[in-house]
């Protein structure tokens, strides 16, 4: 369950997974990997933690365990990748 996904970004700030909006999982609206606290801090949501690569263009997310999709199946890194490729 859970797993990690590595996401490479370009210079477009909307492509930055830490600030990009909600995503789709298999055609259904879903939550984000991160959220923003009332004070503007980026905080974990579906991802429990992440690491930023040395060149600040690669992010490695670790998904929270136990997150379920609408059909009861556990969220995986493949689901997140699918939503980013979609």
């Amino acid at each position: 369950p859970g797993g990690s996904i590595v996401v490479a970004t370009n210079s477009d700030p909307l492509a930055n997974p830490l600030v990009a909006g909600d995503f789709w999982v298999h055609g259904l609206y879903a939550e984000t990997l991160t959220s923003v606290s009332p004070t503007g801090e980026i905080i974990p949501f579906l991802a429990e933690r992440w690491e930023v690569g040395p060149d600040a263009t690669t992010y490695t997310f670790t998904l929270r365990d136990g997150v379920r999709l609408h059909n009861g199946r556990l969220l995986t890194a493949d689901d997140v990748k699918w939503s980013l490729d979609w």
Side-chain angles (χ1 to χ4, degrees):
S4 295
I5 183 170
V6 176
V7 178
T9 65
N10 61 28
S11 60
D12 179 358
L14 293 178
N16 181 335
L18 291 178
V19 296
D22 299 326
F23 64 92
W24 291 81
V25 175
H26 299 290
L28 294 177
Y29 186 71
E31 300 293 346
T32 56
L33 293 171
T34 62
S35 188
V36 179
S37 75
T39 61
E41 177 186 10
I42 297 171
I43 57 174
F45 197 72
L46 292 179
E48 66 181 22
R49 66 182 177 277
W50 57 89
E51 296 174 17
V52 180
D55 58 2
T57 61
T58 303
Y59 295 79
T60 302
F61 290 89
T62 300
L63 300 176
R64 279 193 299 133
D65 286 334
V67 175
R68 295 198 177 269
L69 299 175
H70 68 286
N71 62 5
R73 192 172 57 76
L74 290 172
L75 176 70
T76 68
D78 286 337
D79 296 314
V80 176
K81 181 183 182 312
W82 183 92
S83 70
L84 292 169
D85 290 342
W86 188 74

